[in-house]
Amino acid sequence: MKPSRECKEAASLIKEYRGSIVAFTGAGASAEAGIPTFRGKDGLWNRYRPEELATPYAFATNPRRVWEWYKWRMSIIAKAQPTMAHKVLANWERDGILMGVVTQNVDGLHQRAGSFKVIELHGSIWRVRCTSCGIRRDLGFGNIPKEDIPRCDECGNILRPDVVWFQEPVPLDQFQRAEELFSEAKVILVIGTSGVVMPAALLPINAAREGKILIEVNPEETNLSNLARVRIREPAGKAFEHLARLVEEDLT
Ligand SMILES: NC(=O)c1ccc[n+]([C@@H]2O[C@H](COP(=O)([O-])OP(=O)(O)OC[C@H]3O[C@@H](n4cnc5c(N)ncnc54)[C@H](O)[C@@H]3O)[C@@H](O)[C@H]2O)c1
Ligand SMILES: [Zn+2]
C-alpha cells in the first residue's frame, strides 16, 4: 500500500524539525501488540470495566480482585512484542530525530524496543509499591508476582502496582520532566491516545496552544484531533512503517 498524503506531509515535517520532536503515546500505541486499550472499539478488559478496578477504592475493598486483574493484564503484556511504532521511535531517538517519549502506557514496551528517554506518566505495571512504607521494587519485564496479594519484604504490608489509578494524581516529578521535554519540542507526535485522561492530555493541548505542531496517529477521531496539523487515520504500526521509510529515504 502506498503512503497516504497525510503520511507524506508528516514525514516532511519530521525531516524539517528533526531533533525537536517528542512522542506522546497512549494505549493505542500498544494495541497492535495485542494489549487492549481502555477506550475505543475492542477496548474492553475482560468482563470488568477498568474504571471499576483501576481505582484506590477497588483496591481498598478487594485487593485480591484488583491483583487478579493486574496479573492477568501482566500475563498479556508479558507475551507482547514491541510494534513497528515502538521500534521506529527507538530508532529515531538513536538517530537524533526524536528527543524522547512521554507515555501514558504502563507496559514497558518503549524501553523494550530500545527507547532510552521514556517518561512514564502513569507508572509501570512492572513495578510495585508498598501501601505502608512506600518502598518501590522493580519486578523486571515479564515477572508476575506469584502470591495472590504480594507483600512487602521490608514491613510485611500489602504491595500495589506502582501505576496511577483513576482519581489519583500523576507523579509531579514525571509531569515536570514531561513539561520540560515538551517545552523544548517544536513537533509532538500524538500516538494512540484518546486524549481524555487528565492531566496527561494537557501536555498536547498546551503544546498546540503554544503554536507547536501536533501530528496525530490514530485510526479514530479523538479529543485532540482538531488541534492537530496532520491527522494520520491509520493504526500506529502501519503508519510508522510508512513514516520510517519516507523519513529515512531522504536522510541517507
Ligand atoms: N498498554 C498500556 O500500557 C495500557 C493499556 C490500556 C490502558 N492503559 C492506561 O489507560 C489510560 C487510557 O488512556 P489512553 O489515552 O492511553 O488510551 P485510551 O484507551 O483512552 O484510548 C486508546 C486510543 O487508541 C486508539 N487506537 C486504537 N488502536 C490503535 C492503533 N492500532 N494505533 C493507534 N491508535 C489506536 C483509539 O482510537 C483510542 O483513541 C492510560 O492512562 C494508560 O495508562 C495503558
Ligand atoms: Zn513496606
Side-chain angles (χ1 to χ4, degrees), residues 9-31:
E9 197 182 339
S12 76
L13 287 166
I14 289 162
K15 282 182 271 189
E16 184 179 346
Y17 290 98
R18 65 173 298 175
S20 305
I21 305 172
V22 166
F24 178 72
T25 63
S30 297

Side-chain angles (χ1 to χ4, degrees), residues 162-183:
D162 194 19
V163 299
V164 176
W165 283 329
F166 293 104
Q167 291 134 36
E168 288 186 320
V170 163
L172 190 61
D173 54 337
Q174 299 306 307
F175 197 76
Q176 282 171 343
R177 281 181 69 210
E179 279 184 321
E180 270 163 39
L181 194 63
F182 267 63
S183 73

Side-chain angles (χ1 to χ4, degrees), residues 101-153:
V101 179
V102 176
T103 189
Q104 300 167 86
N105 294 345
V106 298
D107 55 34
L109 286 184
H110 285 297
Q111 293 90 330
R112 256 182 111 63
S115 281
F116 285 101
K117 189 155 179 104
V118 182
I119 299 172
E120 294 180 317
L121 287 177
H122 294 158
S124 169
I125 203 163
W126 303 115
R127 199 168 56 229
V128 288
R129 182 170 95 225
C130 178
T131 52
S132 178
C133 72
I135 210 164
R136 290 181 159 85
R137 187 157 58 86
D138 275 317
L139 298 169
F141 188 95
N143 293 321
I144 304 169
K146 295 195 177 48
E147 311 88 330
D148 285 352
I149 304 176
R151 292 196 170 256
C152 178
D153 291 338

Side-chain angles (χ1 to χ4, degrees), residues 40-245:
K41 60 175 166 52
D42 308 324
L44 203 67
W45 276 94
N46 209 0
R47 55 211 157 91
Y48 296 119
R49 283 160 38 87
E51 293 84 345
E52 286 166 14
L53 283 175
T55 70
Y57 177 76
F59 193 72
T61 48
N62 197 341
R64 187 180 302 266
R65 190 165 74 128
V66 174
W67 260 116
E68 194 188 327
W69 186 62
Y70 270 91
K71 290 202 280 182
W72 175 72
R73 286 180 63 186
M74 290 166 112
S75 72
I76 293 175
I77 296 170
K79 288 189 231 104
Q81 296 295 329
T83 69
M84 187 57 107
H86 294 107
K87 289 182 202 160
V88 172
L89 293 174
N91 291 343
W92 284 357
E93 182 186 353
R94 182 199 61 206
D95 297 343
I97 298 170
L98 190 80
M99 295 159 68
V101 179
V102 176
T103 189
Q104 300 167 86
N105 294 345
V106 298
D107 55 34
L109 286 184
H110 285 297
Q111 293 90 330
R112 256 182 111 63
S115 281
F116 285 101
K117 189 155 179 104
V118 182
I119 299 172
E120 294 180 317
L121 287 177
H122 294 158
S124 169
I125 203 163
W126 303 115
R127 199 168 56 229
V128 288
R129 182 170 95 225
C130 178
T131 52
S132 178
C133 72
I135 210 164
R136 290 181 159 85
R137 187 157 58 86
D138 275 317
L139 298 169
F141 188 95
N143 293 321
I144 304 169
K146 295 195 177 48
E147 311 88 330
D148 285 352
I149 304 176
R151 292 196 170 256
C152 178
D153 291 338
E154 303 295 319
C155 75
N157 276 298
I158 293 180
L159 294 171
R160 57 166 282 177
D162 194 19
V163 299
V164 176
W165 283 329
F166 293 104
Q167 291 134 36
E168 288 186 320
V170 163
L172 190 61
D173 54 337
Q174 299 306 307
F175 197 76
Q176 282 171 343
R177 281 181 69 210
E179 279 184 321
E180 270 163 39
L181 194 63
F182 267 63
S183 73
E184 294 165 30
K186 296 202 172 70
V187 172
I188 317 292
L189 303 172
V190 182
I191 307 158
T193 177
S194 55
V196 299
V197 177
M198 291 294 173
L202 286 178
L203 291 163
I205 291 171
N206 290 340
R209 206 173 281 153
E210 288 160 16
K212 299 182 197 289
I213 299 167
L214 265 50
I215 297 173
E216 178 175 70
V217 181
N218 196 315
E220 292 174 41
E221 173 139 352
T222 74
N223 245 22
L224 305 171
S225 296
N226 61 356
L227 300 175
R229 164 102 57 106
V230 184
R231 290 174 278 264
I232 302 176
R233 288 275 166 265
E234 290 169 38
K238 182 122 278 44
F240 273 85
E241 210 177 294
H242 291 307
L243 288 172
R245 214 170 324 119

